[in-house]
mmCIF file with all atom_site columns, all heavy atoms in Angstrom:
data_model
loop_
_atom_site.group_PDB
_atom_site.id
_atom_site.type_symbol
_atom_site.label_atom_id
_atom_site.label_alt_id
_atom_site.label_comp_id
_atom_site.label_asym_id
_atom_site.label_entity_id
_atom_site.label_seq_id
_atom_site.pdbx_PDB_ins_code
_atom_site.Cartn_x
_atom_site.Cartn_y
_atom_site.Cartn_z
_atom_site.occupancy
_atom_site.B_iso_or_equiv
_atom_site.pdbx_formal_charge
_atom_site.auth_seq_id
_atom_site.auth_comp_id
_atom_site.auth_asym_id
_atom_site.auth_atom_id
_atom_site.pdbx_PDB_model_num
ATOM 1  N N   . ALA A 1 176 ? -201.191 0.621   -28.686 1.00 85.00 ? 176 ALA A N   1
ATOM 2  C CA  . ALA A 1 176 ? -200.932 1.276   -27.403 1.00 85.00 ? 176 ALA A CA  1
ATOM 3  C C   . ALA A 1 176 ? -199.533 0.890   -26.932 1.00 85.00 ? 176 ALA A C   1
ATOM 4  O O   . ALA A 1 176 ? -199.015 -0.181  -27.286 1.00 85.00 ? 176 ALA A O   1
ATOM 5  C CB  . ALA A 1 176 ? -201.978 0.870   -26.356 1.00 85.00 ? 176 ALA A CB  1
ATOM 6  N N   . ALA A 1 177 ? -198.935 1.768   -26.146 1.00 87.00 ? 177 ALA A N   1
ATOM 7  C CA  . ALA A 1 177 ? -197.596 1.520   -25.617 1.00 87.00 ? 177 ALA A CA  1
ATOM 8  C C   . ALA A 1 177 ? -197.704 0.890   -24.232 1.00 87.00 ? 177 ALA A C   1
ATOM 9  O O   . ALA A 1 177 ? -198.779 0.846   -23.611 1.00 87.00 ? 177 ALA A O   1
ATOM 10 C CB  . ALA A 1 177 ? -196.806 2.817   -25.551 1.00 87.00 ? 177 ALA A CB  1
ATOM 11 N N   . LYS A 1 178 ? -196.581 0.408   -23.744 1.00 88.00 ? 178 LYS A N   1
ATOM 12 C CA  . LYS A 1 178 ? -196.546 -0.245  -22.441 1.00 88.00 ? 178 LYS A CA  1
ATOM 13 C C   . LYS A 1 178 ? -196.993 0.724   -21.349 1.00 88.00 ? 178 LYS A C   1
ATOM 14 O O   . LYS A 1 178 ? -196.568 1.876   -21.302 1.00 88.00 ? 178 LYS A O   1
ATOM 15 C CB  . LYS A 1 178 ? -195.119 -0.737  -22.146 1.00 88.00 ? 178 LYS A CB  1
ATOM 16 C CG  . LYS A 1 178 ? -194.978 -1.477  -20.832 1.00 88.00 ? 178 LYS A CG  1
ATOM 17 C CD  . LYS A 1 178 ? -193.563 -1.979  -20.645 1.00 88.00 ? 178 LYS A CD  1
ATOM 18 C CE  . LYS A 1 178 ? -193.422 -2.716  -19.312 1.00 88.00 ? 178 LYS A CE  1
ATOM 19 N NZ  . LYS A 1 178 ? -192.037 -3.226  -19.108 1.00 88.00 ? 178 LYS A NZ  1
ATOM 20 N N   . GLY A 1 179 ? -197.876 0.253   -20.474 1.00 91.00 ? 179 GLY A N   1
ATOM 21 C CA  . GLY A 1 179 ? -198.395 1.064   -19.382 1.00 91.00 ? 179 GLY A CA  1
ATOM 22 C C   . GLY A 1 179 ? -199.657 1.827   -19.719 1.00 91.00 ? 179 GLY A C   1
ATOM 23 O O   . GLY A 1 179 ? -200.319 2.339   -18.806 1.00 91.00 ? 179 GLY A O   1
ATOM 24 N N   . GLU A 1 180 ? -200.020 1.903   -20.983 1.00 92.00 ? 180 GLU A N   1
ATOM 25 C CA  . GLU A 1 180 ? -201.228 2.627   -21.376 1.00 92.00 ? 180 GLU A CA  1
ATOM 26 C C   . GLU A 1 180 ? -202.465 1.741   -21.245 1.00 92.00 ? 180 GLU A C   1
ATOM 27 O O   . GLU A 1 180 ? -202.376 0.514   -21.210 1.00 92.00 ? 180 GLU A O   1
ATOM 28 C CB  . GLU A 1 180 ? -201.117 3.135   -22.814 1.00 92.00 ? 180 GLU A CB  1
ATOM 29 C CG  . GLU A 1 180 ? -200.073 4.207   -23.015 1.00 92.00 ? 180 GLU A CG  1
ATOM 30 C CD  . GLU A 1 180 ? -200.040 4.720   -24.437 1.00 92.00 ? 180 GLU A CD  1
ATOM 31 O OE1 . GLU A 1 180 ? -200.668 4.087   -25.310 1.00 92.00 ? 180 GLU A OE1 1
ATOM 32 O OE2 . GLU A 1 180 ? -199.383 5.741   -24.672 1.00 92.00 ? 180 GLU A OE2 1
ATOM 33 N N   . GLU A 1 181 ? -203.600 2.396   -21.183 1.00 92.00 ? 181 GLU A N   1
ATOM 34 C CA  . GLU A 1 181 ? -204.868 1.677   -21.157 1.00 92.00 ? 181 GLU A CA  1
ATOM 35 C C   . GLU A 1 181 ? -205.452 1.613   -22.564 1.00 92.00 ? 181 GLU A C   1
ATOM 36 O O   . GLU A 1 181 ? -205.284 2.537   -23.362 1.00 92.00 ? 181 GLU A O   1
ATOM 37 C CB  . GLU A 1 181 ? -205.868 2.358   -20.216 1.00 92.00 ? 181 GLU A CB  1
ATOM 38 C CG  . GLU A 1 181 ? -205.530 2.222   -18.742 1.00 92.00 ? 181 GLU A CG  1
ATOM 39 C CD  . GLU A 1 181 ? -206.632 2.764   -17.856 1.00 92.00 ? 181 GLU A CD  1
ATOM 40 O OE1 . GLU A 1 181 ? -207.499 3.498   -18.391 1.00 92.00 ? 181 GLU A OE1 1
ATOM 41 O OE2 . GLU A 1 181 ? -206.652 2.456   -16.657 1.00 92.00 ? 181 GLU A OE2 1
ATOM 42 N N   . ILE A 1 182 ? -206.129 0.526   -22.841 1.00 91.00 ? 182 ILE A N   1
ATOM 43 C CA  . ILE A 1 182 ? -206.734 0.327   -24.159 1.00 91.00 ? 182 ILE A CA  1
ATOM 44 C C   . ILE A 1 182 ? -208.058 -0.400  -23.983 1.00 91.00 ? 182 ILE A C   1
ATOM 45 O O   . ILE A 1 182 ? -208.186 -1.291  -23.133 1.00 91.00 ? 182 ILE A O   1
ATOM 46 C CB  . ILE A 1 182 ? -205.788 -0.488  -25.078 1.00 91.00 ? 182 ILE A CB  1
ATOM 47 C CG1 . ILE A 1 182 ? -206.438 -0.696  -26.440 1.00 91.00 ? 182 ILE A CG1 1
ATOM 48 C CG2 . ILE A 1 182 ? -205.425 -1.827  -24.456 1.00 91.00 ? 182 ILE A CG2 1
ATOM 49 C CD1 . ILE A 1 182 ? -205.527 -1.392  -27.440 1.00 91.00 ? 182 ILE A CD1 1
ATOM 50 N N   . ARG A 1 183 ? -209.038 0.013   -24.770 1.00 92.00 ? 183 ARG A N   1
ATOM 51 C CA  . ARG A 1 183 ? -210.338 -0.653  -24.732 1.00 92.00 ? 183 ARG A CA  1
ATOM 52 C C   . ARG A 1 183 ? -210.313 -1.799  -25.740 1.00 92.00 ? 183 ARG A C   1
ATOM 53 O O   . ARG A 1 183 ? -210.015 -1.594  -26.916 1.00 92.00 ? 183 ARG A O   1
ATOM 54 C CB  . ARG A 1 183 ? -211.460 0.326   -25.053 1.00 92.00 ? 183 ARG A CB  1
ATOM 55 C CG  . ARG A 1 183 ? -212.859 -0.311  -25.009 1.00 92.00 ? 183 ARG A CG  1
ATOM 56 C CD  . ARG A 1 183 ? -213.933 0.734   -25.196 1.00 92.00 ? 183 ARG A CD  1
ATOM 57 N NE  . ARG A 1 183 ? -213.971 1.643   -24.064 1.00 92.00 ? 183 ARG A NE  1
ATOM 58 C CZ  . ARG A 1 183 ? -214.634 1.426   -22.936 1.00 92.00 ? 183 ARG A CZ  1
ATOM 59 N NH1 . ARG A 1 183 ? -215.326 0.293   -22.804 1.00 92.00 ? 183 ARG A NH1 1
ATOM 60 N NH2 . ARG A 1 183 ? -214.618 2.298   -21.976 1.00 92.00 ? 183 ARG A NH2 1
ATOM 61 N N   . VAL A 1 184 ? -210.644 -2.985  -25.266 1.00 91.00 ? 184 VAL A N   1
ATOM 62 C CA  . VAL A 1 184 ? -210.557 -4.201  -26.072 1.00 91.00 ? 184 VAL A CA  1
ATOM 63 C C   . VAL A 1 184 ? -211.952 -4.774  -26.276 1.00 91.00 ? 184 VAL A C   1
ATOM 64 O O   . VAL A 1 184 ? -212.745 -4.854  -25.322 1.00 91.00 ? 184 VAL A O   1
ATOM 65 C CB  . VAL A 1 184 ? -209.639 -5.245  -25.401 1.00 91.00 ? 184 VAL A CB  1
ATOM 66 C CG1 . VAL A 1 184 ? -209.553 -6.506  -26.250 1.00 91.00 ? 184 VAL A CG1 1
ATOM 67 C CG2 . VAL A 1 184 ? -208.254 -4.659  -25.173 1.00 91.00 ? 184 VAL A CG2 1
ATOM 68 N N   . ALA A 1 185 ? -212.256 -5.156  -27.497 1.00 88.00 ? 185 ALA A N   1
ATOM 69 C CA  . ALA A 1 185 ? -213.505 -5.866  -27.811 1.00 88.00 ? 185 ALA A CA  1
ATOM 70 C C   . ALA A 1 185 ? -213.192 -7.352  -27.930 1.00 88.00 ? 185 ALA A C   1
ATOM 71 O O   . ALA A 1 185 ? -212.233 -7.742  -28.596 1.00 88.00 ? 185 ALA A O   1
ATOM 72 C CB  . ALA A 1 185 ? -214.104 -5.346  -29.112 1.00 88.00 ? 185 ALA A CB  1
ATOM 73 N N   . TYR A 1 186 ? -214.005 -8.185  -27.294 1.00 87.00 ? 186 TYR A N   1
ATOM 74 C CA  . TYR A 1 186 ? -213.732 -9.619  -27.290 1.00 87.00 ? 186 TYR A CA  1
ATOM 75 C C   . TYR A 1 186 ? -215.034 -10.409 -27.294 1.00 87.00 ? 186 TYR A C   1
ATOM 76 O O   . TYR A 1 186 ? -216.112 -9.877  -27.022 1.00 87.00 ? 186 TYR A O   1
ATOM 77 C CB  . TYR A 1 186 ? -212.893 -10.005 -26.062 1.00 87.00 ? 186 TYR A CB  1
ATOM 78 C CG  . TYR A 1 186 ? -213.602 -9.811  -24.745 1.00 87.00 ? 186 TYR A CG  1
ATOM 79 C CD1 . TYR A 1 186 ? -214.288 -10.853 -24.128 1.00 87.00 ? 186 TYR A CD1 1
ATOM 80 C CD2 . TYR A 1 186 ? -213.607 -8.562  -24.106 1.00 87.00 ? 186 TYR A CD2 1
ATOM 81 C CE1 . TYR A 1 186 ? -214.951 -10.664 -22.923 1.00 87.00 ? 186 TYR A CE1 1
ATOM 82 C CE2 . TYR A 1 186 ? -214.273 -8.369  -22.905 1.00 87.00 ? 186 TYR A CE2 1
ATOM 83 C CZ  . TYR A 1 186 ? -214.942 -9.423  -22.324 1.00 87.00 ? 186 TYR A CZ  1
ATOM 84 O OH  . TYR A 1 186 ? -215.608 -9.245  -21.130 1.00 87.00 ? 186 TYR A OH  1
ATOM 85 N N   . ASP A 1 187 ? -214.905 -11.678 -27.613 1.00 80.00 ? 187 ASP A N   1
ATOM 86 C CA  . ASP A 1 187 ? -216.044 -12.593 -27.613 1.00 80.00 ? 187 ASP A CA  1
ATOM 87 C C   . ASP A 1 187 ? -216.082 -13.309 -26.271 1.00 80.00 ? 187 ASP A C   1
ATOM 88 O O   . ASP A 1 187 ? -215.143 -14.024 -25.928 1.00 80.00 ? 187 ASP A O   1
ATOM 89 C CB  . ASP A 1 187 ? -215.880 -13.605 -28.748 1.00 80.00 ? 187 ASP A CB  1
ATOM 90 C CG  . ASP A 1 187 ? -217.011 -14.623 -28.783 1.00 80.00 ? 187 ASP A CG  1
ATOM 91 O OD1 . ASP A 1 187 ? -218.017 -14.407 -28.077 1.00 80.00 ? 187 ASP A OD1 1
ATOM 92 O OD2 . ASP A 1 187 ? -216.892 -15.616 -29.508 1.00 80.00 ? 187 ASP A OD2 1
ATOM 93 N N   . PRO A 1 188 ? -217.137 -13.130 -25.462 1.00 79.00 ? 188 PRO A N   1
ATOM 94 C CA  . PRO A 1 188 ? -217.200 -13.802 -24.157 1.00 79.00 ? 188 PRO A CA  1
ATOM 95 C C   . PRO A 1 188 ? -217.079 -15.317 -24.240 1.00 79.00 ? 188 PRO A C   1
ATOM 96 O O   . PRO A 1 188 ? -216.631 -15.957 -23.295 1.00 79.00 ? 188 PRO A O   1
ATOM 97 C CB  . PRO A 1 188 ? -218.569 -13.376 -23.609 1.00 79.00 ? 188 PRO A CB  1
ATOM 98 C CG  . PRO A 1 188 ? -218.884 -12.104 -24.311 1.00 79.00 ? 188 PRO A CG  1
ATOM 99 C CD  . PRO A 1 188 ? -218.288 -12.251 -25.679 1.00 79.00 ? 188 PRO A CD  1
#
Side-chain angles (χ1 to χ4, degrees):
K178 182 178 180 180
E180 293 182 348
E181 289 187 345
I182 179 175
R183 181 174 293 275
V184 180
Y186 65 94
D187 178 12

